[in-house]
Amino acid sequence: MTDKISRFLASAQPETPCLVVDLDVIAGNYHALRHYLPLAEVFYAVKANPAPEVIALLAGLGSSFDTASRPEIEAVLAAGVAPGRISFGNTIKKLKDIAWAYERGVRLFAFDSEAELDKLAEAAPGSKVFCRLLMTCEGAEWPLSRKFGCEADMARALMLKARALGLVPYGLSFHVGSQQTRLDQWDLAIGRAAALFRDLAAEGIALAMLNLGGGLPARYRDDVAPVERYAGAIMQAMTDHFGNDLPQMITEPGRSLVGDSGILETEVVLVSRKSFADDERWVYLDVGKFGGLAETMDEAIKYRLQLVGGGEGPSGPVVLAGPTCDSADILYEKHQYQMPLSLKPGDRVRILSTGAYTTSYAAVNFNGFAPLKAYFV
Ligand SMILES: *Cc1c(COP(=O)(O)O)cnc(C)c1O
């Protein structure tokens, strides 16, 4: 909770639920990452928080951008960012969106399959392409496994094909999983990538770039190591596996840049029990899974909560839930949260570190994909 946010909440008294973001925190996180990992160019993952204010701030600080859709690219271009600082990093793109991005000057594209490579050759001729490697994402609280990436032998074959198709086989990427706290996961991924660099060099393909993805954690209920530990582990792995011949490095931080910058101010709507004998109370907030807390799915991300006014007296266990009429809209039931016995409707509860993956998930256009249109006939 920063001074700027608490002053804003005290003076503006906004209706809840609302997210308040301190842009200085994002700037500080950006500078820290640049400081501790100076060799890696930062491509901010826009989906974490696509607000124009966040994009403009990072653009001004010199960041580049990892985007997943035409609307995300439009938002970045609208902030005055040159297309050369944009990566179209989604491995699942429509041909017409690739063609559109190419026409706007984007020349860096991700893929992880042969069919996607064919699309790139057709709609973005001569572009730089990088292949995403499959990761197991062990240890990540929000894994990005299975859906993205391909095995190394397939990546190898696809990079050879990229060259044959007239594309520039530019590099490799991976993502170790979001909210990843296991440092060895970067070593594993970098080791795999380096082996493939060597393999392809033997085929006459000198890859230039390694994209280290995102995954650096924000601080939720458990403490996490500071960014310098992650940066140190990454650089150690780079020199262990690449020696003195380091490729150009890219990182795509999302959560670690914006997560800690936001406070979600909420209000208690109801406190109740399911039976006279129950100790456990049900606390319903005015925000839930469908209003921005999608990452509480399977209780994956465990946010820190802070009661406004401190909450005097003894506490007891609660189940926390959102306000909608859907029983999936329960935030925490297995992981125990405690709240004061005096808690009552109207009390305000602050959910900390909610700057990443909240407004974007609540918005009905996550990652730039338009909300579902409805036609009534
Ligand atoms: C979501 C995403 C990121 C950001 O991941 P964080 O864990 O939030 O840092 C980076 N790269 C790609 C390709 C992504 O899809």
Side-chain angles (χ1 to χ4, degrees):
M1 181 62 146
T2 67
D3 284 350
K4 253 170 91 187
I5 294 180
S6 59
R7 266 186 275 122
F8 171 82
L9 285 169
S11 65
Q13 299 274 326
E15 279 285 315
T16 66
C18 69
L19 178 74
V20 187
V21 169
D22 185 341
L23 293 170
D24 294 347
V25 174
I26 301 175
N29 288 339
Y30 178 83
H31 289 308
L33 185 59
R34 293 289 300 141
H35 178 77
Y36 290 110
L37 206 55
L39 293 183
E41 193 182 342
V42 173
F43 280 66
Y44 170 59
V46 172
K47 74 172 185 286
N49 190 327
E53 293 84 351
V54 174
I55 293 173
L57 170 81
L58 290 169
L61 295 176
S63 181
S64 296
F65 294 86
D66 169 49
T67 61
S69 67
R70 177 173 162 164
E72 282 192 353
I73 294 172
E74 279 170 339
V76 173
L77 290 172
V81 174
R85 282 165 61 197
I86 295 175
S87 165
F88 202 164
N90 192 346
T91 53
I92 306 150
K93 303 175 285 302
K94 289 188 178 174
L95 188 74
K96 69 174 170 41
D97 292 339
I98 296 169
W100 175 87
Y102 183 76
E103 205 174 287
R104 301 304 305 262
V106 176
R107 291 291 181 275
L108 183 60
F109 296 86
F111 73 96
D112 64 4
S113 67
E114 185 165 18
E116 190 73 10
L117 195 56
D118 289 337
K119 283 190 233 169
L120 291 172
E122 182 181 340
S127 290
K128 296 172 176 172
V129 295
F130 59 94
C131 188
R132 181 159 169 179
L133 297 174
L134 189 68
M135 289 290 139
T136 56
C137 302
E138 267 155 61
E141 284 177 22
W142 194 256
L144 299 166
S145 47
R146 302 199 331 276
K147 182 169 170 184
F148 306 106
C150 64
E151 295 288 359
D153 60 338
M154 184 181 275
R156 179 179 178 281
L158 292 178
M159 288 313 251
L160 294 172
K161 181 169 180 189
R163 176 174 65 180
L165 288 172
L167 294 161
V168 179
Y170 191 60
L172 300 175
S173 76
F174 60 79
H175 196 303
V176 293
S178 202
Q179 191 66 13
Q180 175 62 266
T181 49
R182 271 180 49 179
L183 298 170
D184 62 330
Q185 291 295 299
W186 277 276
D187 181 73
L188 186 80
I190 290 168
R192 247 181 235 175
L196 197 46
F197 266 66
R198 284 191 295 274
D199 239 24
L200 284 164
E203 300 285 346
I205 293 182
L207 295 181
M209 182 274 287
L210 180 59
N211 179 338
L212 305 158
L216 268 62
R219 189 190 157 212
Y220 298 113
R221 218 162 67 156
D222 297 328
D223 274 331
V224 294
V227 62
E228 52 263 44
R229 285 274 308 282
Y230 291 90
I234 287 168
M235 281 318 297
Q236 184 66 51
M238 288 299 296
T239 47
D240 284 353
H241 296 291
F242 284 95
N244 287 329
D245 195 17
L246 292 184
Q248 180 198 337
M249 293 160 62
I250 280 178
T251 58
E252 299 174 333
R255 190 186 300 282
S256 63
L257 287 192
V258 297
D260 296 337
S261 72
I263 298 274
L264 183 48
E265 180 93 343
T266 73
E267 191 178 288
V268 175
V269 181
L270 177 70
V271 183
S272 68
R273 288 172 208 268
K274 296 297 171 197
S275 85
F276 293 119
D278 265 357
D279 267 349
E280 195 169 62
R281 291 159 300 151
W282 282 68
V283 172
Y284 302 90
L285 301 176
D286 60 1
V287 68
K289 276 207 166 69
F290 305 104
L293 299 177
E295 289 202 313
T296 59
M297 200 188 296
D298 296 328
E299 307 191 17
I301 297 296
K302 292 168 276 298
Y303 293 106
R304 274 177 296 156
L305 305 181
Q306 206 175 63
L307 195 64
V308 179
E312 307 301 312
S315 291
V318 297
V319 174
L320 272 167
T324 64
C325 296
D326 187 322
S327 58
D329 193 10
I330 295 172
L331 306 176
Y332 301 113
E333 191 172 18
K334 293 194 296 281
H335 289 92
Q336 210 184 61
Y337 277 71
Q338 299 269 332
M339 296 204 115
L341 298 176
S342 60
L343 191 76
K344 58 185 188 311
D347 284 353
R348 290 201 167 198
V349 175
R350 289 178 179 157
I351 309 179
L352 309 191
S353 298
T354 36
Y357 303 115
T358 50
T359 51
S360 49
Y361 276 148
V364 271
N365 57 350
F366 176 58
N367 238 182
F369 293 98
L372 186 62
K373 267 210 201 76
Y375 297 98
F376 302 89
V377 295

